[in-house]
C-alpha cells in the first residue's frame, strides 16, 4: 500500500510494456478498516516517467 495525493492505494499489478501500474483506492469504513473503493491505473508517458512514478510511490509505502 502507498499514499498518494492524500489517498491510500494498493497495487494490484504493473505492466512494464504499457508502463502502467494498476491499483485500487482504499477508503476507511465505519470501523476504520481499509476497504476497496475504486480502480485506478497510473500510466507513464515514457520509461523515465515510469521510474519516477515508482520512486514516488515507493517512498510512500505504508
Amino acid at each position: 500500500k502507498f499514499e498518494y495525493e492524500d489517498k491510500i492505494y494498493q497495487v494490484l499489478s504493473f505492466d512494464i510494456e504499457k508502463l502502467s501500474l494498476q491499483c485500487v483506492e482504499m477508503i476507511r469504513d465505519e470501523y476504520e478498516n481499509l476497504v476497496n473503493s475504486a480502480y485506478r491505473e497510473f500510466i507513464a508517458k515514457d520509461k523515465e516517467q515510469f521510474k519516477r512514478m515508482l520512486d514516488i510511490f515507493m517512498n510512500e509505502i505504508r
Side-chain angles (χ1 to χ4, degrees):
K1 294 181 186 90
F2 64 92
E3 189 170 334
Y4 180 67
E5 296 180 339
D6 295 326
K7 295 180 181 179
I8 298 172
Y9 295 94
Q10 177 153 345
V11 176
L12 300 174
S13 64
F14 63 93
D15 187 327
I16 300 262
E17 291 178 19
K18 288 176 40 179
L19 302 175
S20 68
L21 186 65
Q22 296 81 34
C23 303
V24 64
E25 181 183 337
M26 311 289 287
I27 59 171
R28 295 207 182 272
D29 66 11
E30 64 271 15
Y31 305 107
E32 292 298 311
N33 297 310
L34 285 172
V35 295
N36 296 351
S37 173
Y39 175 81
R40 170 107 189 245
E41 183 174 26
F42 296 94
I43 301 173
K45 295 180 214 171
D46 55 36
K47 289 181 182 180
E48 290 79 27
Q49 186 183 43
F50 187 66
K51 183 181 180 319
R52 284 193 309 273
M53 181 173 69
L54 291 177
D55 288 343
I56 289 168
F57 296 158
M58 292 289 286
N59 287 329
E60 296 298 326
I61 289 179
R62 304 178 110 213

